[in-house]
Amino acid sequence: MKKHLCFLLALLSLVFSLSCRKDQAHEQYTELPPSIRPDLSVTLTTSVSGFVTDEHDKPVYGAQVKAGDKDATTDAFGYFTIRNAVVAETAGAVRISKPGYFQHVKTFIPQAGKESFVRAKLLPKVNTGSIDAASGGTVSAASSARVALPANGVVLAAGGTPYTGTVQVAIQWIDPADVAQQLSAAGDGRGLDTEGWLVYTRSFGTLAVELTGSSGQLLQVAAGKKATISIPVPVSMTGAAPATVALWSLDETSGLWKQESTAAKNGTVYTGEVSHFSFWTGAIGLPLVNMTAQIVDAALHPLANVAVGVRYAGQSFNAGGGTFGFTDANGIVTGAVPANTNLALAVLTPCALESYAHPFTTGNSNTDLGTIQGNLGQSLVTISGNVVDCSNRPVTDGYVQTFENGLFTRTPIVNGAFSFTGIACTNMATSLVAVDNTLHQQGAPQLISLTTGVNNLGTITACGTSTVGVINYTIDGVLKMLIEPANPLHAYFSPLAGGWTTVLELIPSPGTPAISFQFDGDAVTGNTHKVADIFCTGFPSGRALAPVPLTVTITDYGSPGGFISGNFSGPVLDFPTNSPHIISCDFRVRRYQ
């Protein structure tokens, strides 16, 4: 067991007080940290912000993000912020949902009255294979991950009614030896063992699995039945992988892993039985102490949102088990690490290269590494400048958004100026855009090549492109204007049946949107689109049909997070009274998906 402990690398977004019970597996240690059975009903008020990207490192617009009793929606840059959320004191959990992706849960350190920072990469939910529910069967992924369902062993997740049709199985494997995949890792590495003790889960591989029916219904394993899963072990970790590990499922409410069963190693996979589907990891639970450090530059300024990794001393991250987290606004990282172990804390560039590594050794009590400056000169950059609005006045409420090698950074504009110091990939093109929140304008994105030291960009204009959506429509000469943010507007494209685009005002249920319509055709500009059915409160019955479909002229069709713009006009008939009306509409609405 000691050998296994030496390979543990900690996620840096863990809580302040983590530990493990003293059981037979841990009696090799002469001293252990205090044990904790967390009371998840104890809460505090905190804030959290971060970025959500897809599997291609592109920003995810319109993802629903929940933390405690508050929620938010990611913007065009995949950014969200949640203020004053009430979360469990032991662990704050951010739950992220987006159609077409597995629900993602990222656990963070809750600090009363302060703001934590997270990054998350969503896993696409793509059908891996199909199984007949009546006969059961097996689906295998290219990674060698497998899911086997028993005969007559599937039910509707809502209500538990037996399901007898085709089961669509979506599988994603998260490789713990691949640093690039760790943003997709659920939770934060902490779990509750079978006796309720808080432990660190030393993972040898994780699966995300979801079952859906032929009509998209969410399915689950029937009560009293068991499914079998096989989790691949990366080649670099097979030597350290024990013959048997525990299987842990992710509690999507608490954000903690829950020990449920066991899996045996068969060659390069762990195979075991599970009673339901979610995220599953094959891992061993280990005793912990806490580590805290602050990352600063040469002038002792804190480096915010910088990637920081912890690895076993003498091994690279690609040797298996390496993972990373991000500093908060004060440059501080805090997390759980193994007791009595030689480790190294590495400051990473967005290119996942080590800029500096700080060796340290844990004992049986918490470790404070203090302020870490290190030799950051070759990758430390400062981006600064001034931002003016469309009238050449200093922007007082806005931000500068940068993007480099898959990582976004947001820097506030203070009294017309901005300055950000961080770790960067030098001599690499970095995208930058300035946004004015007051006038809802942004400038054109520009590419800059960063060099070591200060990069003064001079004066940047946050003007030229509106950041808000608008729908203007006229029915029988009566004009109605819907403008964000007072009227939240969305557009989304569905590729099914030739492609349909829906434009609407979002109204929380119950409620009726002021307007909602669909037009057909591919996601392209031009005059090839038609609209025939319009729901609008401006019609007597709330709905009208065009006897001859109206041509929709699309002038802009952006990718998700961008805008769809267009217009249409013509005669329609109220449904079902057939009273005639004339409608004209022009719209510029941000695309949801």
Side-chain angles (χ1 to χ4, degrees), residues 139-160:
V139 167
S140 298
S143 62
S144 298
R146 291 189 300 274
V147 170
L149 301 179
N152 300 311
V154 178
V155 297
L156 296 178

Side-chain angles (χ1 to χ4, degrees), residues 525-543:
T525 58
N527 300 312
T528 60
H529 309 273
K530 302 290 183 180
V531 60
D533 195 356
I534 304 166
F535 293 86
C536 183
T537 55
F539 297 119
S541 68
R543 182 184 183 187

Side-chain angles (χ1 to χ4, degrees), residues 2 98 146 153 171 176 179 207 266 289 306 310 342 374 442 452 467 543 591:
K2 255 187 172 179
K98 173 78 174 181
R146 291 189 300 274
I171 305 173
V179 174
L207 287 189
N266 181 13
V289 295
V306 168
V310 169
N342 295 323
Q442 71 178 48
T452 300
T467 61
R543 182 184 183 187
R591 181 179 170 184

Side-chain angles (χ1 to χ4, degrees), residues 27 44 53 165 184 204 233 264 283 291 298 305 332 334 413 415 431 495 523:
E27 286 178 355
L44 55 76
T53 57
S184 300
F204 292 90
V233 179
M291 179 219 70
N305 310 153
I332 295 174
T334 303
I413 300 171
N415 297 323
S431 176

Side-chain angles (χ1 to χ4, degrees), residues 183-347:
L183 288 181
S184 300
D188 62 6
R190 290 173 294 151
L192 298 175
D193 67 13
T194 54
E195 297 182 16
W197 298 103
L198 194 61
V199 299
Y200 183 82
T201 57
R202 162 69 167 116
S203 175
F204 292 90
T206 301
L207 287 189
V209 180
E210 187 167 295
L211 310 180
T212 52
S214 54
S215 299
Q217 319 97 300
L218 186 63
L219 306 176
Q220 268 297 355
V221 180
K225 297 281 189 175
K226 296 285 187 181
T228 301
I229 61 173
S230 294
I231 305 176
V233 179
V235 174
S236 61
M237 300 181 72
T238 53
T244 302
V245 294
L247 284 177
W248 312 66
S249 68
L250 183 71
D251 184 329
E252 296 179 355
T253 299
S254 69
L256 299 173
W257 295 96
K258 179 182 178 183
Q259 184 179 358
E260 296 199 37
S261 57
T262 60
K265 187 168 71 169
N266 181 13
T268 59
V269 298
Y270 279 113
T271 300
E273 291 185 330
V274 300
S275 59
H276 62 94
F277 281 115
S278 172
F279 282 77
W280 284 90
T281 189
I284 54 177
L286 302 167
L288 305 169
V289 295
N290 303 314
M291 179 219 70
T292 300
Q294 184 183 39
I295 313 301
V296 299
D297 64 12
L300 301 183
H301 299 140
L303 300 181
N305 310 153
V306 168
V308 183
V310 169
R311 56 175 173 75
Y312 176 62
Q315 284 196 354
S316 69
F317 287 101
N318 292 331
T323 157
F324 62 90
F326 297 87
T327 60
D328 65 14
N330 297 312
I332 295 174
V333 294
T334 303
V337 295
N340 306 304
T341 306
N342 295 323
L343 300 169
L345 182 148
V347 181

Side-chain angles (χ1 to χ4, degrees), residues 459-477:
T459 299
I460 301 172
T461 301
C463 180
T465 302
S466 174
T467 61
V468 300
V470 60
I471 300 177
N472 299 320
Y473 63 91
T474 301
I475 298 177
D476 300 331

Side-chain angles (χ1 to χ4, degrees), residues 54-131:
D54 64 14
E55 68 275 25
H56 304 298
D57 294 321
K58 302 297 183 183
V60 173
Y61 169 72
Q64 301 301 306
V65 184
K66 294 183 178 295
D69 59 338
K70 299 292 177 64
D71 55 56
T73 302
T74 55
D75 65 13
F77 301 104
Y79 180 80
F80 72 90
T81 182
I82 295 178
R83 306 291 185 193
N84 301 319
V86 177
V87 302
E89 182 181 46
T90 299
V94 174
R95 290 172 289 278
I96 306 167
S97 301
K98 173 78 174 181
Y101 293 88
F102 285 95
Q103 175 168 287
H104 190 84
V105 180
K106 186 68 72 176
T107 311
F108 66 98
I109 303 169
Q111 301 181 70
K114 296 183 179 181
E115 182 174 297
S116 298
F117 178 81
V118 300
R119 296 188 190 271
K121 181 184 290 189
L122 301 186
L123 290 170
K125 190 167 51 180
V126 180
N127 183 40
T128 307
S130 302
I131 297 173

